[in-house]
Amino acid sequence: MTAYNAITPVEVQASARLIKLMRSAPGGNRLEQVMWAASGSEAIQKALWAAIAHDRSRPMIIATRYGFHGKKGLSNAVTGCETDAERDPRVKFISFPMAECRDISLRGQAFDFTPYQKELDALHHQYGMRLGTLITEPYLGGGGSYHPPKEYLQGLEQFCRKHDIVFIIDEVQANFGRTGAMFAFETYGLEPDIVVLGKGLGNGIPVAAAVGKTDIFDSLGYGEASDTWSANPLCCAAVQATLDAFERADILGQMKPSSAIIERGLVALKELPFVANVRGENGGMVWGVEMRDCAERTAAEWANAFVLACYQGDSSESDGIHLLGPLAKKVVRVSPPLVITPDEATAAVALMLRSARRLSA
Ligand SMILES: Cc1ncc(COP(=O)(O)O)c(C=O)c1O
């Protein structure tokens, strides 16, 4: 199972198939090489190591505020915001357009990048050529499911191009279909230098990877990013099995009706006084239901109560739903398997509505 000082055929095949798939996607033409990792945070760490090594006179990193990239090392350094404890002085945060995408009803509204451009320009004015890397999630996942207008991410990318900054998209959560396309960089019309993959990549087997430009990855010295388990044969086989599954069936096409059913069902939850906003990927498979302080309970308490009520279901043993929350102290995440059928989706949102109504009764 170790593979750090040898390359196996299954690793070569998995790398080749992944690169072929990503390069054939619109915006994927910078993705030339795979650097395997054993977890999402480790892949982020390696991507950032490579970006910093690419030009060691430019060690500073711009990160988007309230992003989640992991809990360890540099992945933790680019997570959250400047007021969190023990910040790495190399990392500077910029705003994410949370207000502009706080609810699904705001989708498609005109977006003004000017304030964000000003933040970027101010950073550039202050730190100039010391800024070498920008990292963002396509949508804030752990931060509470905020799905931004495309123009925001495209504006970040343009800034990177103008100043020759390495542009990293963290798709650890978004990859392999969550946003409705195989990769979020397709959904958002981006051309990243490095894309970080995880979670769905191995469909349950713990594998992650950074995929990016060869000249960036080659900046790392021999063995600098190696470890015992990365690229082990089981993980590489799991990646290939996942790719096989996507090749055999039109998983993304088949999920669209379920996506529409779930979105309608979640929007209907807004009839409850404790549900503030519903957000999600248009045609994708991830949403956040934001609670508000209401009656005697805080938003976090409503979120916990809702998660528990859905889990318990209607009191028979077999009908509960497992949700996640509260994220950011107030948001419940709904992130079903991509293969959920329309019947299952219909039953699930009906159960959520019954559970929510019971809570407010
Ligand atoms: C966007 C994003 N990046 C990175 C990570 C970290 O991945 P891992 O938990 O595998 O270290 C996560 C995990 O939730 C994530 O959602």
Side-chain angles (χ1 to χ4, degrees):
M1 283 286 287
T2 61
Y4 71 89
N5 65 349
I7 187 160
T8 58
V10 69
E11 176 185 346
V12 176
Q13 288 154 8
S15 303
R17 286 180 67 182
L18 199 52
I19 290 166
K20 187 167 173 224
L21 175 69
M22 295 181 84
R23 286 179 68 78
S24 69
N29 48 309
R30 291 168 187 254
L31 309 175
E32 299 164 328
Q33 196 172 328
V34 183
M35 183 158 48
W36 295 100
S39 71
S41 39
E42 191 181 281
I44 296 284
Q45 169 95 27
K46 291 183 179 183
L48 290 170
W49 274 343
I52 292 170
H54 186 50
D55 185 345
R56 293 194 190 272
S57 71
R58 303 178 69 180
M60 293 188 69
I61 303 166
I62 302 173
T64 43
R65 203 170 284 129
Y66 307 122
F68 182 78
H69 302 284
K71 295 181 184 162
K72 295 144 220 151
L74 277 177
S75 74
N76 183 55
V78 292
T79 285
C81 67
E82 47 276 73
T83 55
D84 295 343
E86 293 180 40
R87 296 303 4 187
D88 185 322
R90 289 172 297 181
V91 180
K92 299 294 160 199
F93 291 92
I94 54 152
S95 303
F96 199 90
M98 294 164 77
E100 293 91 323
C101 61
R102 67 184 175 279
D103 187 71
I104 262 174
S105 59
L106 300 173
R107 221 186 242 159
Q109 286 211 339
F111 173 72
D112 180 11
F113 191 66
T114 318
Y116 304 96
Q117 186 68 56
K118 280 191 182 144
E119 282 188 46
L120 290 166
D121 290 343
L123 275 182
H124 192 258
H125 184 69
Q126 192 170 357
Y127 300 106
M129 290 303 279
R130 291 183 58 71
L131 299 166
T133 305
L134 187 150
I135 183 165
T136 185
E137 286 174 273
Y139 62 87
L140 296 187
S145 227
Y146 288 86
H147 306 262
K150 285 182 184 152
E151 294 81 2
Y152 171 72
L153 296 170
Q154 291 171 358
L156 298 184
E157 179 178 304
Q158 272 165 26
F159 172 80
C160 290
R161 294 287 171 261
K162 183 167 169 204
H163 299 291
D164 197 20
I165 287 172
V166 177
F167 181 50
I168 305 178
I169 289 287
D170 174 356
E171 294 210 24
V172 168
Q173 183 180 127
N175 65 184
F176 277 46
R178 275 291 144 206
T179 65
M182 199 64 179
F183 300 101
F185 69 78
E186 300 173 66
T187 303
Y188 285 93
L190 305 171
E191 196 187 308
D193 296 305
I194 302 177
V195 178
V196 185
L197 309 173
K199 298 192 194 280
L201 171 64
N203 201 24
I205 296 294
V207 53
V211 185
K213 285 182 79 190
T214 299
D215 67 329
I216 297 175
F217 288 177
D218 275 356
S219 324
L220 290 170
Y222 177 74
E224 218 178 316
S226 72
D227 42 68
T228 309
W229 301 120
S230 294
N232 72 65
L234 172 65
C235 289
C236 293
V239 172
Q240 293 209 60
T242 310
L243 293 173
D244 288 345
F246 276 96
E247 278 172 17
R248 262 199 314 270
D250 179 18
I251 293 173
L252 299 180
Q254 286 165 6
M255 89 182 187
K256 299 288 174 208
S258 301
S259 168
I261 291 167
I262 296 170
E263 183 156 309
R264 262 200 314 278
L266 295 179
V267 169
L269 290 177
K270 290 209 282 181
E271 73 168 53
L272 281 312
F274 55 85
V275 176
N277 292 305
V278 173
R279 302 185 275 274
E281 280 294 330
N282 197 2
M285 214 22 105
V286 57
W287 296 267
V289 180
E290 182 184 332
M291 307 298 175
R292 64 161 67 92
D293 296 347
C294 164
E296 298 296 292
R297 290 181 175 179
T298 63
E301 286 167 345
W302 282 112
N304 271 322
F306 181 65
V307 169
L308 193 62
C310 291
Y311 186 70
Q312 288 167 339
D314 297 324
S315 80
S316 82
E317 290 100 53
S318 59
D319 66 353
I321 306 174
H322 183 86
L323 301 172
L324 173 69
L327 302 171
K329 299 200 176 102
K330 57 184 179 182
V331 180
V332 174
R333 177 189 294 148
V334 181
S335 180
L338 306 186
V339 293
I340 189 170
T341 64
D343 284 349
E344 289 165 337
T346 304
V349 289
L351 188 144
M352 280 190 237
L353 188 58
R354 285 197 301 278
S355 306
R357 282 180 178 158
R358 251 198 324 270
L359 278 185
S360 70

